[in-house]
């Protein structure tokens, strides 16, 4: 089917700057992130250029993400060479980072599906009078939508852009302001133009920091998303409070609780009014073991289903074990649900919600000072409320990265 869902951007790993499977991304502004008030001073004032190259091999037993009960899945082996370049420039107490990633996913059995993917990301930190900080960002990304978004052998090449600026005057003790603005766009191939959007986000907040308590920030955020291809404009208001604290030396907590008010203009779309959140708890029971729990609920504007917007909820649990000095093992599980809000005359698929379960085991081994070896096993299962366009997929990946 052509009108299928975008899978969850938070569930796709980016390993050593190269993508294990065709990536999935979202252009909606992320939940307001809890933040520390410290401003790190650069240690190295010299320009630093780094370059690395890698090669991944991935076996995918269901490349088109189709339901095996309805059609025989197609498997393939995907070779992905990649290159990553990063340049850091420090001028006094200011710094600028430019990072570029480019990769080519070559399908052995289905070479017509092979595509180039690329990301260019620029960020900076500019300090004013030693107390205030400006953080600009610019990003452009070109990629093919994951087949799990589409459930068929149809390509959709996407372009995402982001421009943003945040200003704050962090303090170790006391009150401080935060303001920000960000513009995101997403563009798709003509048959998926309904997912195109232009979104502008505005944020203003007041933070309070005290070492014995942590950092708290009260904020208001507004997102206006224009989806002209389907004649829908989404307005999302968020008012919330963030909290950041190292509870004890072995645990840290980041939490964001917010009230969401999402509504659409130009279509008969049921609004969403209720709680949103973002949270992360890290616990280190042993020096070499870290357990991380995450959860969030947010509004997704540009899904690859012709709906006004979607309410997405994610839960994740991850264990990172430094098995040896040069070997790390990660075990991770994620559970995500989406509820689609759209005009009944527009949503032709009949799917109102879906669930994605994603589990992986990954091992990374450093060989010498320049080489990293990587191996991963992953399984993804998707269920929908109508038993349509469901799928299961298992992937096995191995690769190498070399730093020049």
């Amino acid at each position: 089917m052509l009108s299928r869902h975008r899978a969850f951007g938070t569930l796709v790993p980016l390993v050593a700057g190269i993508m294990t499977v065709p990536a999935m991304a979202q252009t909606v502004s992320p939940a307001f992130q809890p933040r520390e008030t410290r401003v790190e001073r650069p240690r190295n004032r010299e320009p630093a250029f780094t370059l690395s190259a890698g090669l991944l091999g991935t076996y995918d037993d269901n490349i088109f993400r189709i339901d095996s009960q309805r059609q025989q899945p197609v498997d393939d082996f995907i070779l992905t060479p990649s290159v990553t370049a990063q340049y850091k420039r420090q001028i006094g107490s200011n710094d600028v980072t430019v990072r570029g990633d480019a990769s080519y996913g070559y399908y052995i059995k289905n070479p017509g599906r092979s595509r180039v993917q690329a990301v260019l990301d620029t960020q900076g930190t500019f300090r004013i009078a030693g107390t205030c900080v400006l953080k600009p960002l610019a990003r452009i990304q070109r990629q093919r939508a994951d087949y799990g978004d589409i459930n068929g052998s149809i390509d959709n090449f996407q372009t995402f852009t982001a421009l943003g600026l945040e200003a704050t005057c962090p303090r170790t003790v006391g009150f401080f302001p935060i303001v920000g603005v960000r513009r995101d766009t997403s563009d798709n191939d003509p048959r998926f133009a309904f997912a195109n959007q232009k979104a502008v986000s505005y944020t203003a907040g007041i933070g309070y920091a005290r070492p014995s308590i942590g950092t708290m920030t009260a904020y208001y955020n507004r997102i206006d998303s224009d989806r002209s291809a389907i004649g829908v404009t989404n307005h999302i208001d968020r008012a919330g409070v963030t909290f950041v604290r190292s509870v004890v030396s072995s645990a840290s907590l980041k939490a964001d609780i917010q009230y969401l008010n999402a509504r659409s203009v130009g279509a008969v779309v049921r609004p969403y009014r209720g709680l949103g959140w973002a949270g992360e708890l890290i616990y280190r029971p042993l020096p070499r073991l870290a357990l991380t729990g995450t959860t969030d609920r947010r509004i997704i504007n540009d899904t690859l289903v012709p709906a006004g917007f979607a309410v997405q909820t994610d839960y994740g649990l991850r264990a990172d074990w430094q098995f040896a000095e040069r070997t790390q093992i990660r075990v991770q599980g994620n559970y995500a649900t989406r509820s689609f809000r759209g005009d009944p005359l527009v949503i032709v698929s009949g799917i109102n919600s879906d669930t994605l379960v994603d589990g992986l085991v990954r091992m990374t081994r450093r060989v010498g000072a320049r080489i990293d070896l990587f191996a991963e096993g992953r399984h993804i299962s998707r269920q929908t409320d109508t038993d349509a366009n469901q799928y299961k997929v298992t992937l096995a990946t191995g690769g190498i990265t070399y730093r020049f």
Side-chain angles (χ1 to χ4, degrees):
M1 295 180 64
L2 300 184
S3 57
R4 276 306 340 124
H5 302 42
R6 166 167 310 175
F8 307 91
T10 59
L11 305 182
V12 178
L14 195 64
V15 181
I18 43 185
M19 301 175 187
T20 62
V21 294
M24 297 161 277
Q26 297 160 178
T27 61
V28 64
S29 298
F32 188 87
Q33 294 298 310
R35 65 200 70 220
E36 302 283 0
T37 58
R38 294 179 303 171
V39 179
E40 296 291 340
R41 301 299 182 186
R43 297 179 180 179
N44 180 13
R45 295 179 178 272
E46 296 299 324
F49 176 77
T50 59
L51 180 66
S52 63
L55 179 65
L56 287 183
T58 300
Y59 174 76
D60 187 330
D61 70 354
N62 187 0
I63 65 170
F64 297 131
R65 307 297 187 257
I66 59 178
D67 188 349
S68 60
Q69 301 297 320
R70 301 169 184 262
Q71 187 178 347
Q72 182 64 32
V74 177
D75 66 345
D76 210 332
F77 187 80
I78 308 159
L79 284 175
T80 308
S82 69
V83 62
T84 298
Q86 181 171 281
Y87 178 75
K88 290 185 177 182
R89 174 69 176 179
Q90 296 173 352
I91 306 172
S93 61
N94 307 315
D95 59 83
V96 176
T97 300
V98 180
R99 179 187 174 95
D101 297 270
S103 63
Y104 183 79
Y106 178 70
Y107 287 70
I108 302 298
K109 296 181 181 179
N110 300 268
R113 307 297 171 193
S114 304
R115 292 290 186 278
V116 173
Q117 301 188 129
V119 181
L120 180 62
D121 197 350
T122 303
Q123 300 184 51
T125 302
F126 298 92
R127 297 167 178 86
I128 301 174
T131 58
C132 295
V133 180
L134 293 177
K135 294 185 176 181
L137 69 88
R139 178 183 177 90
I140 183 169
Q141 180 171 349
R142 289 278 288 166
Q143 67 177 44
R144 182 191 35 221
D146 185 79
Y147 290 123
D149 304 343
I150 303 169
N151 301 111
S153 57
I154 303 167
D155 279 332
N156 174 30
F157 213 63
Q158 303 169 300
T159 301
F160 301 94
T161 67
L163 291 172
L165 179 65
E166 181 185 283
T168 183
C169 298
R171 301 181 62 184
T172 304
V173 178
F175 291 94
F176 59 92
I178 295 175
V179 295
V181 61
R182 174 166 169 159
R183 181 180 186 272
D184 292 270
T185 69
S186 64
D187 291 290
N188 298 262
D189 286 345
R191 70 182 71 189
F192 297 97
F194 57 79
N196 295 349
Q197 76 151 349
K198 293 180 175 64
V200 180
S201 171
Y202 308 91
T203 301
I206 295 292
Y208 178 77
R210 183 169 290 276
S212 60
I213 299 176
T215 303
M216 294 180 290
T217 305
Y219 69 91
Y220 168 76
N221 172 252
R222 168 68 177 247
I223 301 175
D224 296 315
S225 173
D226 179 17
R227 302 184 62 189
S228 58
I230 57 174
V232 173
T233 300
N234 292 327
H235 301 291
I236 304 170
D237 296 295
R238 302 188 296 185
V241 177
T242 70
F243 177 74
V244 178
R245 187 185 181 190
S246 294
V247 183
V248 293
S249 59
S250 60
S252 61
L253 173 67
K254 297 180 180 181
D256 173 8
I257 303 297
Q258 57 195 251
Y259 176 77
L260 290 173
N261 180 14
R263 59 205 182 279
S264 297
V265 177
V268 183
V269 179
R270 183 164 52 98
Y272 175 81
R273 298 182 179 91
L275 284 179
W277 62 79
E280 177 185 77
L281 175 63
I282 302 176
Y283 176 58
R284 298 176 179 84
L286 299 170
R288 292 193 172 197
L289 177 64
L291 304 177
T292 304
T294 59
T295 180
D296 69 80
R297 172 172 288 178
R298 61 192 185 279
I299 303 298
I300 305 298
N301 283 308
D302 57 337
T303 63
L304 284 179
V305 65
F309 60 86
V311 183
Q312 178 170 318
T313 307
D314 300 274
Y315 302 93
L317 184 62
R318 185 178 77 241
D320 292 293
W321 180 28
Q322 195 71 34
F323 176 73
E325 183 159 342
R326 294 176 174 270
T327 304
Q328 185 181 69
I329 296 175
R330 169 173 291 185
V331 179
Q332 180 174 323
N334 292 281
Y335 177 86
T337 64
R338 286 184 304 175
S339 174
F340 296 99
R341 303 290 178 95
D343 191 328
L345 299 178
V346 176
I347 299 180
V348 297
S349 64
I351 296 176
N352 298 306
S353 64
D354 66 356
T355 300
L356 194 75
V357 180
D358 186 354
L360 68 85
V361 178
R362 176 189 303 164
M363 183 176 71
T364 304
R365 170 73 176 176
R366 175 157 292 186
V367 181
R370 297 180 179 274
I371 298 176
D372 288 341
L373 302 178
F374 162 81
E376 178 184 281
R378 186 176 178 203
H379 183 76
I380 305 170
S381 175
R382 176 172 166 230
Q383 304 291 322
T384 63
D385 64 335
T386 62
D387 295 330
N389 298 103
Q390 303 181 141
Y391 70 86
K392 294 181 180 180
V393 57
T394 300
L395 305 103
T397 303
I400 183 172
T401 300
Y402 182 84
R403 292 178 297 278
F404 294 94

